[in-house]
Amino acid sequence: MRAVVQRCLNASVAVDGQTISQIGKGLMVLVGIERNDTPDDAAWIIKKVLGAKLWDDNTGAWKRSVVEIDGEVLCVSQFTLYANFKGLKPDFHESMSTLPGKAFYSTFLEQIRNAYVADRIKDGQFGAMMAVSLTNDGPVTMLFDSKDRNPRKSGASSAAGSASTSVAGSRASTPAPLSKEEQAVIAKRKVAERAEKKAAYLARVAAGELPPPKHKTAARVEGQELESAE
């Protein structure tokens, strides 16, 4: 569920040229209902609309809600808040269909009226072509999406942590450049290993286990190529 909340000095809704609702100082709320919305989504939006601190307390700090200033709220159903675009044409399949949407919206209005003062909550006409007017105060406009009520930081942090671990692991598996001293030590070890293998090979030749190598013939011993002379 989504709500575009605008702080206003006044707002009104007209249908067929006739004003059907109007408010003074308060909030104009465009309400979009998604096809999978539940009562929990509506409750979250109501809490945000009535509790958002959008007015100052004469010190410049935003500390007062529409309830605290005794303001009014004008709700207008707005299925286009769930438009998806494929190219330039909007698709509204994400919004709740007409009949269940109307029932959901009616319940939403009843709940927000019960949560505040009933006669301070006004609405437009569900499904009608409406002319909406307001004087935005500020301007101040907020977007609330009930899907944000489920914290995503932990998931994002976990993903970031996994990514960091992956990067760290990748870096750890990549050997750091060796210093000249380290390279020299490794080279000496390789020379010593080749010498040991050559000595072992010649010992087996002397014992008659292997044929003697021919002059300047490469002999492969345990995967190493050795050049030996008679």
Side-chain angles (χ1 to χ4, degrees):
M1 193 170 185
R2 291 173 179 164
V4 175
V5 178
Q6 300 177 79
R7 190 178 74 181
C8 64
L9 297 176
N10 54 71
S12 63
V13 176
V15 175
D16 296 329
Q18 299 295 318
T19 299
I20 62 172
S21 289
Q22 59 185 0
I23 63 171
K25 185 177 182 179
L27 298 174
M28 158 65 78
V29 183
L30 302 178
V31 180
I33 304 171
E34 198 256 351
R35 60 184 179 181
N36 295 317
D37 278 339
T38 68
D40 288 340
D41 294 283
W44 190 88
I45 289 293
I46 290 171
K47 181 178 180 180
K48 287 292 186 180
V49 169
L50 297 181
K53 308 294 186 179
L54 302 182
W55 283 268
D56 64 54
D57 61 351
N58 299 321
T59 66
W62 291 28
K63 291 186 176 180
R64 297 192 297 169
S65 66
V66 68
V67 173
E68 292 170 309
I69 67 162
D70 296 321
E72 297 177 281
V73 179
L74 175 55
C75 297
V76 176
S77 60
Q78 184 76 90
F79 71 93
T80 60
L81 289 179
Y82 278 98
N84 286 319
F85 279 83
K86 294 182 179 179
L88 299 178
K89 184 178 180 180
D91 181 327
F92 304 110
H93 286 92
E94 290 299 317
S95 62
M96 191 173 288
S97 56
T98 303
L99 292 179
K102 184 175 183 179
F104 193 100
Y105 182 68
S106 295
T107 300
F108 166 80
L109 287 175
E110 180 180 356
Q111 291 174 337
I112 195 171
R113 283 174 174 142
N114 290 337
Y116 189 25
V117 178
D119 62 6
R120 290 186 180 276
I121 303 294
K122 307 294 177 61
D123 70 301
Q125 183 176 323
F126 188 92
M129 289 295 293
M130 294 173 278
V132 180
S133 301
L134 81 154
T135 301
N136 193 314
D137 180 20
V140 173
T141 302
M142 305 291 174
L143 171 62
F144 297 131
D145 190 326
S146 63
K147 298 302 180 284
D148 293 337
R149 75 183 189 278
N150 296 320
R152 297 176 181 174
K153 290 185 178 180
S154 59
S157 298
S158 176
S162 298
S164 298
T165 301
S166 176
V167 171
S170 175
R171 290 176 179 172
S173 64
T174 303
L178 299 175
S179 66
K180 291 182 178 180
E181 292 77 10
E182 291 172 327
Q183 292 177 16
V185 170
I186 292 174
K188 288 180 179 179
R189 287 178 180 173
K190 289 183 177 180
V191 170
E193 288 175 358
R194 285 201 297 268
E196 289 177 1
K197 289 179 179 180
K198 182 176 181 179
Y201 169 72
L202 294 176
R204 294 182 68 184
V205 169
E209 297 177 3
L210 294 174
K214 294 182 180 180
H215 182 65
K216 294 184 179 180
T217 299
R220 183 176 296 276
V221 180
E222 297 181 5
Q224 298 291 329
E225 287 189 351
L226 300 174
E227 281 194 357
S228 58
E230 292 180 348

